[in-house]
């Protein structure tokens, strides 16, 4: 079919981003959405009130620099405000990183499967995508990624805990990797789910950032803080990199309501972390129950569990959950189940038990 307009040829190479399905609403059951790793807990006290107060004048633009939020984050993280870059979720920070590093003739290295935006962002910049398959246990293959880095490589993306498989990058793994990566190559550590991690060996991204100037952290208020609908996150980077990021982040992308909510939630981080560990305890029990049924479930460190299945079984499992008004996420090689209400997880357990009995 001929093109009517002068669009980029590279668009044909964009892998589609498929959001999590909503739950079926015609089953007679209470529907649950466990397909997008959303936080099922209610907002912390004061958060919705902060949003309402900050948005009383919707005609006014928000502070383009998120000055108050940046100051609060810098104090909480013990970094210089010049090293903090706010954005509309961690996704905007990752997009900005690809924008300041990638172009035609360059390459980006990342684990796969991992966050679905990685290949989309790389394709958008015209860079060569070098996806390195995960190890059998769902962990990053750091030796494989090192082997893919050459003089064209401008960016490496890491995900800890890895979405969708679940394991965290461990301190020893990252330190060994960073020792081998050229110092002028930027390495992004996507820590969207770091608050849920309970592995004693999980890397402390902030400590690693202080040791490696080419390491950039991408974090979000979407998951543990439960602010996904407000779209607010941040990057932590060397001041030189941070300055470049600010050049390409869209102006006013973090709304006044998002800034206020994030600041209010950040002030209650102790409560956020308690909640995250409660989710982690539920996650660990859910993962153990699935393993007891004979399913292959990697180490789970986010607010979700990965069930490794072939594509046919994954589709059938997703359909069976949908019949119980529970939406989960089928991806290549398995299904991802977000941690949600007890009733929703019990329905998934029942589906899993039926599957196990039918094997």
């Amino acid at each position: 079919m001929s093109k009517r307009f002068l669009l980029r040829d590279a668009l044909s190479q964009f892998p589609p981003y498929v959001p999590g399905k909503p739950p079926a609403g015609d089953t007679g059951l209470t529907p649950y959405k466990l397909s997008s790793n959303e936080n099922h807990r209610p907002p912390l006290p004061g958060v919705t009130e902060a949003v309402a107060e900050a948005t009383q004048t919707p005609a006014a633009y928000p502070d383009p620099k998120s000055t108050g939020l940046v100051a609060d984050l810098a104090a909480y993280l013990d970094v210089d405000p010049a090293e903090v870059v706010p954005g509309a979720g961690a996704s905007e920070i990752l997009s900005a990183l690809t924008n300041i590093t990638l172009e035609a003739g360059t390459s980006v290295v990342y684990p796969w499967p991992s966050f679905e935006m990685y290949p989309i962002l790389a394709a958008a910049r015209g860079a060569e995508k070098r996806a390195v398959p995960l190890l059998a246990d769902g962990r990053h293959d750091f030796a494989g990624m090192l082997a893919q880095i050459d003089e064209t490589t401008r960016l490496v993306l890491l995900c800890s805990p890895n979405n969708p498989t679940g394991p965290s990058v461990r301190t020893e793994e990252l330190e060994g990797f960073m020792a081998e990566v050229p110092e002028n190559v930027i390495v992004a550590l996507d820590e969207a789910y770091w608050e849920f991690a309970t592995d004693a060996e999980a890397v402390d991204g902030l400590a690693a950032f202080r040791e490696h100037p080419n390491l950039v952290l991408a974090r979000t208020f979407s998951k543990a803080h439960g602010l996904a609908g407000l779209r607010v996150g941040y990057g932590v980077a060397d001041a030189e990199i941070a300055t470049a990021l600010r050049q390409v982040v869209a102006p006013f992308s973090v709304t006044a309501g998002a800034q206020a909510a994030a600041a209010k939630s950040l002030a209650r981080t102790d409560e956020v972390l308690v909640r995250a560990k409660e989710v982690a305890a539920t996650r660990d029990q859910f993962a153990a129950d699935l393993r007891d049924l004979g399913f292959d479930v990697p180490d789970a460190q986010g607010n979700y569990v990965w069930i490794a299945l072939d594509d046919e079984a994954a589709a059938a499992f997703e359909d069976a959950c949908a019949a119980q008004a529970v939406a989960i996420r089928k991806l290549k090689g398995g299904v991802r189940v977000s941690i949600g209400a007890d009733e929703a997880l019990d329905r998934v357990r029942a589906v899993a038990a039926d599957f196990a009995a039918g094997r």
Side-chain angles (χ1 to χ4, degrees):
M1 183 174 68
S2 62
K3 291 182 179 180
R4 293 179 58 204
F5 304 105
L6 298 175
L7 304 178
R8 292 177 59 197
D9 292 338
L11 288 173
S12 63
Q13 303 301 314
F14 280 31
Y17 179 79
V18 182
K21 294 180 180 178
D26 56 357
T27 61
L29 298 169
T30 300
Y32 291 100
K33 185 183 178 188
L34 306 184
S35 55
S36 295
N37 292 348
E38 294 158 332
N39 193 325
H40 70 288
R41 302 285 295 274
L44 285 168
V47 169
T48 54
E49 292 82 357
V51 174
E53 183 177 352
T55 54
Q56 290 186 34
T57 310
Y61 284 111
D63 174 3
K65 296 181 179 180
S66 301
T67 308
L69 178 58
V70 166
D72 291 348
L73 282 166
Y76 168 69
L77 301 167
D78 192 23
V79 299
D80 192 288
E83 298 174 319
V84 178
V85 182
S91 297
E92 185 170 43
I93 301 303
L94 294 168
S95 177
L97 275 168
T98 63
N99 212 0
I100 66 171
T101 57
L102 302 179
E103 57 192 345
T106 66
S107 64
V108 56
V109 176
Y110 54 88
W112 197 253
S114 194
F115 183 36
E116 290 174 277
M117 287 299 296
Y118 297 162
I120 295 172
L121 293 171
R125 312 304 178 214
E128 180 186 351
K129 302 185 294 290
R130 297 180 180 175
V132 178
L134 298 173
L135 300 173
D137 59 0
R139 306 188 66 81
H140 290 25
D141 179 0
F142 283 100
M145 286 190 286
L146 280 171
Q148 290 296 319
I149 296 173
D150 61 20
E151 66 279 356
T152 70
T153 305
R154 298 280 188 85
L155 180 65
V156 178
L157 299 168
L158 308 176
C159 191
S160 180
N162 188 56
N163 175 21
T165 56
S168 290
V169 171
R170 291 177 171 159
T171 301
E172 185 177 6
E173 292 174 323
L174 183 67
E175 288 304 315
F177 183 70
M178 295 301 294
E180 299 294 329
V181 174
E183 293 181 356
N184 61 349
V185 173
I186 293 175
V187 178
L189 184 61
D190 181 353
E191 292 191 299
Y193 303 93
W194 72 271
E195 296 96 335
F196 301 101
T198 54
D199 182 354
E201 298 179 44
V203 67
D204 178 343
L206 200 56
F209 162 73
R210 293 190 173 101
E211 296 296 323
H212 304 286
N214 59 328
L215 184 68
V216 176
L217 308 183
R219 291 183 169 184
T220 186
F221 286 90
S222 294
K223 306 303 181 180
H225 289 265
L227 303 182
L230 293 175
R231 310 308 304 129
V232 54
Y234 59 96
V236 184
D238 176 87
E240 180 182 344
I241 299 172
T243 298
L245 290 172
R246 290 189 197 94
Q247 288 181 262
V248 297
V249 168
F252 310 112
S253 66
V254 184
T255 67
Q259 292 178 39
K264 177 66 72 171
S265 194
L266 183 67
R268 306 185 74 152
T269 295
D270 288 349
E271 296 170 69
V272 171
L273 294 176
V274 168
R275 285 183 167 205
K277 296 309 182 282
E278 290 171 351
V279 170
T282 301
R283 171 202 71 204
D284 291 345
Q285 184 60 60
F286 183 57
D289 293 342
L290 293 169
R291 293 185 190 111
D292 287 345
L293 289 169
F295 289 94
D296 179 4
V297 177
D299 181 30
Q301 293 293 314
N303 67 335
Y304 52 88
V305 167
W306 176 251
I307 307 173
L309 297 166
D310 63 47
D311 290 344
E312 182 178 353
F317 198 101
E318 182 186 45
D319 289 344
C321 287
Q324 298 300 314
V326 178
I328 63 171
R329 186 72 182 274
K330 181 183 77 67
L331 297 163
K332 187 169 181 60
V335 295
R336 190 192 66 198
V337 184
S338 307
I339 300 304
D342 290 344
E343 181 182 359
L345 296 179
D346 285 344
R347 291 186 204 168
V348 179
R349 286 185 178 95
V351 168
D354 288 343
F355 262 66
R359 286 183 172 181

